[in-house]
Amino acid sequence: MTPEPGASSGWWLPLAGAAGFVLAWEAATSGFGVPAYLVPSPRAVVAEIADFPGWYAEQALYTTLIALGGFIAAAVLGLLFAIAITESRLLERLLFPLFVALNSVPKVAVAPLLVIWFGTGAEPKLAIAFLIAVFAVVIDAALGLRSAPRDVLDLATALRGSRLRILWRVKLPAALPSVFAGFKVAMSLALVGAIVGEFVSSQRGLGHVILAAQGSFDTPRVFAALAILAVLGVVLIAAVEAVEHRIMPWRRGEPRRRVRGAEA
Amino acid sequence: MLAAPEARLVPPLIVAEGVTKRFGDVLALDRLSLEIGRGEFVSLLGPSGCGKSTFLRCLVGLDHTTEGVLTVGGQRVTDPPKELGLVLQRDALLEWLDVLDNVLLPAEFAGLRRAALRPKAKELLHMVGLGEFLHAWPAALSGGMRQRVAICRALLLDPPLLLMDEPFGALDALTRDQLNIDLHRIWRERGMTVVFVTHSIPEALFLSTRVAVFSPRPGRIVDDVALDLPRHRRLAVKETPEFAALARRMRGNFEAMGLIRDA
Ligand SMILES: Nc1ncnc2c1ncn2[C@@H]1O[C@H](COP(=O)(O)OP(=O)(O)OP(=O)(O)O)[C@@H](O)[C@H]1O
Ligand SMILES: [Mg+2]
């Protein structure tokens, strides 16, 4: 569970992996003379971003906000829905099959419909990011909420705990590892959803950048947007992991509340 | 040997009369009758799968009897009785609460102020030698330490009734002896009623004032022995002739049921 400290922790190994990838890419493009309109070299991509840093930052920010908005909606509503279907057999039988059926409709195919409903602003993109992300949250959170050990639940029942208290003190904490696994998948799916939304209709965002650059065969620009997306993905997942880390100190093995520990 | 119920002035704390429990086609308990008086330490001794846990779960209100009457403190058990301590084979600690908060859980669930019970929780943990681990996570404790935390949790509100389902079954022999000694002392000092499920003849004899022997499934009580051993026991009691005679009698029960065959 807890990775041992030393060579395997910290930022060095992931950075080395990324650096190796970029070097291999550079070697492939310059060494084999791949034309820049097919695959530009990493240097060309960096130069492209360096030429318009403000503009790229603006597009990236727009996409990030869409993805984050969709993710937060999916996290909150997905968790609530998971609680509803795990607490009530009736709600589960009534709603879960419907939810699975609706989820089976490809979201990409629904996107144009959302544009008709919500117009061309941020709303349809948020909606797509939400729709793509929510399934992972519901499935993983429901799994987690059902994973509380039987004997712990028995004990809580024997202590005459109310359902709300058992949910809050037992089922939700037991579910957290699964919930966060779902959150991480949902976070990267929300980013996909934001791009899909921008593909369908947009004047802003990285998805729009890619689509517009494709029209003018501006491959370095496409690659610049893709590179930014890749970095965004890593940063957003790392942010979810940081929250996970803070919220589950018992999985880190660190003593709790040192201040109070001293008073004992 | 069975304390005659009519001789008692106070009514028994627990009364089981013709308790039957079926799980579908499986008959787990068959017309089981048993009375347990206040302050007794009763061990339920029996082979695996005979329905001991089922009986305990019915007492706690986690399961319901199919037939028969089961009362605790004169009340028929429908939901979990108030003021009851429970210790299970697996310690059932909440991994996400530190040791002290785990012990304080019954206070929280009973809607009491945790701050008011914190000194009591600390005192209990000190008593079982865990004074230095108040803020450790359960994951950082050994099996024996975790089980001690579970016992402290069960004792927090001074329940008049303590139910224990093979609490030491998963521990090594040394730790088990030590926890037996600790539990015996706690019972002597507090005088609560204990119902203790175990497979172990020496453990049952060392701890109890009375041992009820279960038959293989469907569970019934085939022997019920009030132990004539000193109230204050040391481990050395196990080497006395009285203890040996009682152990022989228990073993005889299991041999008669065909559960042990001596070579
Ligand atoms: N929820 C259940 N559903 C179906 N059968 C059950 C259930 N709980 C217990 N049983 C059955 O009832 C019988 C008694 O089980 P119980 O757990 O009470 O035994 P036990 O005496 O506690 O055994 P052990 O000493 O191994 O813990 C077993 O045959 C078991 O298969
Ligand atoms: Mg059992």
Coordinates of all heavy atoms in Angstrom, one line a residue, chain A residues 107-148:
Chain A
K107 N -22.0 9.2 -25.9 CA -22.1 10.6 -25.6 C -21.8 11.5 -26.8 O -22.4 12.6 -26.9 CB -21.2 10.9 -24.4 CG -22.0 11.1 -23.1 CD -22.6 9.8 -22.6 CE -21.6 8.9 -22.0 NZ -22.1 7.6 -21.6
V108 N -20.8 11.0 -27.6 CA -20.4 11.8 -28.8 C -21.7 12.0 -29.7 O -21.8 13.1 -30.3 CB -19.3 11.0 -29.5 CG1 -18.9 11.9 -30.7 CG2 -18.2 10.7 -28.6
A109 N -22.5 11.0 -29.7 CA -23.7 11.1 -30.6 C -24.8 12.0 -30.0 O -25.6 12.5 -30.7 CB -24.3 9.7 -30.8
V110 N -24.7 12.2 -28.7 CA -25.7 13.0 -28.0 C -25.3 14.5 -28.1 O -26.1 15.4 -28.0 CB -25.8 12.6 -26.5 CG1 -26.9 13.5 -25.8 CG2 -26.2 11.1 -26.4
A111 N -24.0 14.7 -28.3 CA -23.4 16.1 -28.2 C -24.2 17.1 -29.1 O -24.5 18.2 -28.6 CB -21.9 16.1 -28.5
P112 N -24.5 16.8 -30.4 CA -25.2 17.7 -31.2 C -26.5 18.1 -30.6 O -27.0 19.3 -30.7 CB -25.4 17.0 -32.5 CG -24.3 16.0 -32.5 CD -24.1 15.5 -31.1
L113 N -27.2 17.1 -30.0 CA -28.5 17.3 -29.4 C -28.4 18.3 -28.2 O -29.2 19.3 -28.1 CB -29.0 16.0 -28.8 CG -30.5 16.0 -28.3 CD1 -31.4 16.3 -29.5 CD2 -30.8 14.6 -27.8
L114 N -27.3 18.2 -27.5 CA -27.0 19.1 -26.3 C -26.8 20.5 -26.8 O -27.2 21.5 -26.2 CB -25.8 18.6 -25.5 CG -26.1 17.3 -24.8 CD1 -24.8 16.8 -24.2 CD2 -27.1 17.5 -23.7
V115 N -26.2 20.7 -28.0 CA -26.0 22.0 -28.6 C -27.4 22.6 -28.9 O -27.6 23.8 -28.7 CB -25.1 21.9 -29.8 CG1 -25.0 23.3 -30.5 CG2 -23.7 21.4 -29.4
I116 N -28.3 21.8 -29.5 CA -29.6 22.3 -29.8 C -30.3 22.7 -28.5 O -30.9 23.8 -28.5 CB -30.4 21.2 -30.5 CG1 -29.8 20.8 -31.8 CG2 -31.9 21.6 -30.7 CD1 -30.5 19.6 -32.5
W117 N -30.1 21.9 -27.4 CA -30.8 22.3 -26.2 C -30.2 23.5 -25.5 O -30.9 24.4 -25.0 CB -30.8 21.1 -25.2 CG -31.7 20.0 -25.7 CD1 -32.7 20.0 -26.6 CD2 -31.7 18.6 -25.1 NE1 -33.2 18.8 -26.7 CE2 -32.7 17.9 -25.8 CE3 -30.9 18.0 -24.2 CZ2 -32.9 16.6 -25.6 CZ3 -31.2 16.6 -23.9 CH2 -32.2 15.9 -24.6
F118 N -28.9 23.5 -25.4 CA -28.2 24.5 -24.5 C -27.5 25.6 -25.3 O -26.9 26.4 -24.7 CB -27.2 23.8 -23.6 CG -27.8 22.8 -22.7 CD1 -27.4 21.4 -22.7 CD2 -28.7 23.2 -21.7 CE1 -28.0 20.5 -21.9 CE2 -29.3 22.3 -20.8 CZ -28.9 20.9 -20.9
G119 N -27.5 25.5 -26.6 CA -26.8 26.6 -27.3 C -25.3 26.3 -27.5 O -24.9 25.1 -27.3
T120 N -24.5 27.3 -27.8 CA -23.1 27.0 -28.1 C -22.2 27.6 -27.0 O -21.0 27.6 -27.2 CB -22.7 27.7 -29.4 OG1 -23.1 29.1 -29.3 CG2 -23.4 27.0 -30.6
G121 N -22.7 27.9 -25.8 CA -21.9 28.4 -24.8 C -21.2 27.3 -24.0 O -20.9 26.2 -24.6
A122 N -20.9 27.5 -22.8 CA -20.2 26.5 -22.0 C -21.1 25.3 -21.5 O -20.7 24.2 -21.3 CB -19.6 27.1 -20.7
E123 N -22.4 25.6 -21.5 CA -23.4 24.6 -20.9 C -23.3 23.2 -21.6 O -23.2 22.2 -20.9 CB -24.8 25.2 -20.9 CG -25.0 26.3 -20.0 CD -24.8 27.7 -20.7 OE1 -24.2 27.6 -21.8 OE2 -25.1 28.7 -20.1
P124 N -23.4 23.2 -22.9 CA -23.4 21.8 -23.5 C -22.1 21.1 -23.3 O -22.1 19.9 -23.1 CB -23.6 22.1 -25.0 CG -23.2 23.5 -25.2 CD -23.6 24.2 -23.9
K125 N -21.0 21.8 -23.2 CA -19.7 21.2 -23.0 C -19.6 20.7 -21.6 O -19.1 19.5 -21.3 CB -18.6 22.2 -23.3 CG -18.6 22.7 -24.7 CD -17.8 23.9 -24.9 CE -18.1 24.5 -26.3 NZ -19.3 25.3 -26.3
L126 N -20.1 21.5 -20.6 CA -20.2 21.0 -19.2 C -21.0 19.7 -19.2 O -20.7 18.7 -18.5 CB -20.7 22.0 -18.3 CG -19.8 23.2 -17.9 CD1 -20.6 24.3 -17.3 CD2 -18.7 22.7 -17.0
A127 N -22.1 19.8 -19.9 CA -23.0 18.6 -19.8 C -22.4 17.4 -20.4 O -22.5 16.3 -19.8 CB -24.3 18.9 -20.6
I128 N -21.6 17.5 -21.5 CA -21.0 16.3 -22.0 C -19.9 15.8 -21.1 O -19.8 14.6 -20.8 CB -20.4 16.6 -23.4 CG1 -21.5 17.0 -24.4 CG2 -19.6 15.4 -24.0 CD1 -21.0 17.6 -25.7
A129 N -19.1 16.7 -20.6 CA -18.0 16.3 -19.6 C -18.7 15.6 -18.4 O -18.2 14.5 -18.0 CB -17.3 17.5 -19.1
F130 N -19.8 16.1 -17.9 CA -20.5 15.4 -16.8 C -21.0 14.1 -17.2 O -20.8 13.1 -16.5 CB -21.7 16.3 -16.4 CG -22.7 15.6 -15.6 CD1 -22.4 15.3 -14.2 CD2 -23.9 15.2 -16.1 CE1 -23.4 14.7 -13.4 CE2 -24.8 14.5 -15.3 CZ -24.6 14.3 -14.0
L131 N -21.7 14.0 -18.4 CA -22.3 12.7 -18.8 C -21.2 11.6 -19.0 O -21.4 10.5 -18.6 CB -23.0 12.9 -20.1 CG -24.4 13.6 -20.0 CD1 -25.0 13.8 -21.3 CD2 -25.3 12.9 -19.0
I132 N -20.1 12.0 -19.6 CA -19.0 11.0 -19.8 C -18.4 10.6 -18.5 O -18.0 9.4 -18.3 CB -17.9 11.5 -20.8 CG1 -18.6 11.7 -22.1 CG2 -16.7 10.6 -20.8 CD1 -17.6 12.0 -23.3
A133 N -18.3 11.5 -17.5 CA -17.6 11.2 -16.3 C -18.4 10.5 -15.2 O -17.9 9.7 -14.4 CB -17.0 12.5 -15.7
V134 N -19.7 10.7 -15.2 CA -20.5 10.3 -14.1 C -20.6 8.8 -13.8 O -20.7 8.3 -12.7 CB -21.9 10.9 -14.1 CG1 -22.8 10.2 -15.1 CG2 -22.6 10.9 -12.8
F135 N -20.5 8.0 -14.9 CA -20.7 6.6 -14.8 C -19.6 6.0 -13.9 O -19.9 5.1 -13.0 CB -20.7 6.0 -16.2 CG -21.1 4.5 -16.3 CD1 -22.5 4.2 -16.0 CD2 -20.3 3.5 -16.6 CE1 -22.9 2.9 -16.0 CE2 -20.7 2.2 -16.7 CZ -22.1 1.9 -16.4
A136 N -18.4 6.4 -14.1 CA -17.3 5.8 -13.4 C -17.5 6.1 -11.9 O -17.2 5.2 -11.0 CB -15.9 6.4 -13.8
V137 N -17.9 7.3 -11.6 CA -18.2 7.7 -10.1 C -19.2 6.8 -9.5 O -19.0 6.2 -8.5 CB -18.6 9.1 -10.0 CG1 -18.9 9.5 -8.5 CG2 -17.5 10.0 -10.5
V138 N -20.3 6.6 -10.2 CA -21.4 5.8 -9.7 C -21.0 4.4 -9.5 O -21.2 3.8 -8.4 CB -22.7 5.9 -10.6 CG1 -23.7 4.9 -10.2 CG2 -23.2 7.3 -10.7
I139 N -20.4 3.8 -10.5 CA -20.0 2.3 -10.4 C -19.0 2.1 -9.2 O -19.2 1.3 -8.4 CB -19.4 1.8 -11.7 CG1 -20.5 1.9 -12.8 CG2 -18.9 0.4 -11.5 CD1 -21.7 1.1 -12.6
D140 N -18.0 2.9 -9.2 CA -17.0 2.7 -8.2 C -17.5 3.1 -6.8 O -17.1 2.4 -5.8 CB -15.7 3.5 -8.5 CG -14.9 2.8 -9.6 OD1 -15.2 1.6 -9.8 OD2 -13.9 3.4 -10.1
A141 N -18.2 4.2 -6.7 CA -18.7 4.6 -5.3 C -19.7 3.5 -4.8 O -19.7 3.2 -3.6 CB -19.4 5.9 -5.4
A142 N -20.6 3.0 -5.7 CA -21.5 2.0 -5.2 C -20.8 0.7 -4.8 O -21.1 0.1 -3.7 CB -22.5 1.6 -6.4
L143 N -19.7 0.3 -5.5 CA -18.9 -0.8 -5.1 C -18.3 -0.5 -3.7 O -18.3 -1.4 -2.8 CB -17.8 -1.0 -6.1 CG -16.8 -2.1 -5.8 CD1 -17.4 -3.5 -6.1 CD2 -15.5 -2.0 -6.6
G144 N -17.8 0.7 -3.5 CA -17.1 1.0 -2.3 C -18.1 1.0 -1.1 O -17.9 0.6 0.0
L145 N -19.3 1.6 -1.4 CA -20.3 1.7 -0.3 C -20.8 0.3 0.2 O -21.2 0.1 1.3 CB -21.5 2.5 -0.8 CG -21.2 4.0 -0.9 CD1 -22.3 4.7 -1.7 CD2 -21.2 4.6 0.5
R146 N -20.7 -0.7 -0.7 CA -21.1 -2.0 -0.4 C -19.9 -2.8 0.2 O -20.1 -3.9 0.6 CB -21.6 -2.8 -1.6 CG -22.9 -2.2 -2.1 CD -23.6 -3.2 -3.1 NE -24.8 -2.7 -3.5 CZ -25.0 -2.2 -4.7 NH1 -24.0 -2.0 -5.5 NH2 -26.2 -1.7 -5.1
S147 N -18.7 -2.2 0.3 CA -17.5 -2.9 0.7 C -17.3 -2.9 2.2 O -16.3 -3.5 2.7 CB -16.3 -2.4 0.0 OG -15.9 -1.2 0.5
A148 N -18.1 -2.1 3.0 CA -17.8 -2.1 4.4 C -17.9 -3.5 5.0 O -18.8 -4.2 4.7 CB -18.9 -1.2 5.1

